[in-house]
Amino acid sequence: MALETEARYYNDHRSDFVKEHDGKFALIKGDRCMGFYDTSYTAYQAGVSQFGLEPFMIHEVVQEEPIHQLPAYYLGLTHASL
């Protein structure tokens, strides 16, 4: 699975990241955090600059992951014809 190593690394270190970098965006490549940035865009720019087209992960450092709800999916509207 793509970015499995990066996701595991983030989850393993989330509590440490939150203590010092809450609200920042972590740039992760493999099992290393390459830095923390104020915006996702600056993290993206740094990632492209360092890794080019290789995959890397950007993740907002937060205490708890937000729950994303997709009302159209839950209401069965993804296949609705208008």
Side-chain angles (χ1 to χ4, degrees), residues 10 13-23 61-64:
Y10 175 80
H13 294 86
R14 179 196 332 231
S15 61
D16 297 330
F17 292 165
V18 168
K19 290 177 188 174
E20 297 181 32
H21 305 285
D22 191 28
V61 178
V62 291
Q63 182 67 36
E64 292 185 31

Side-chain angles (χ1 to χ4, degrees), residues 6-45:
E6 288 82 356
R8 186 179 318 109
Y9 178 83
Y10 175 80
N11 288 326
D12 290 347
H13 294 86
R14 179 196 332 231
S15 61
D16 297 330
F17 292 165
V18 168
K19 290 177 188 174
E20 297 181 32
H21 305 285
D22 191 28
K24 302 280 185 171
F25 291 84
L27 171 60
I28 300 172
K29 175 70 173 162
D31 59 357
R32 288 188 58 203
C33 182
M34 307 306 291
F36 296 92
Y37 300 86
D38 291 330
T39 67
S40 60
Y41 183 71
T42 55
Y44 174 76
Q45 287 179 312

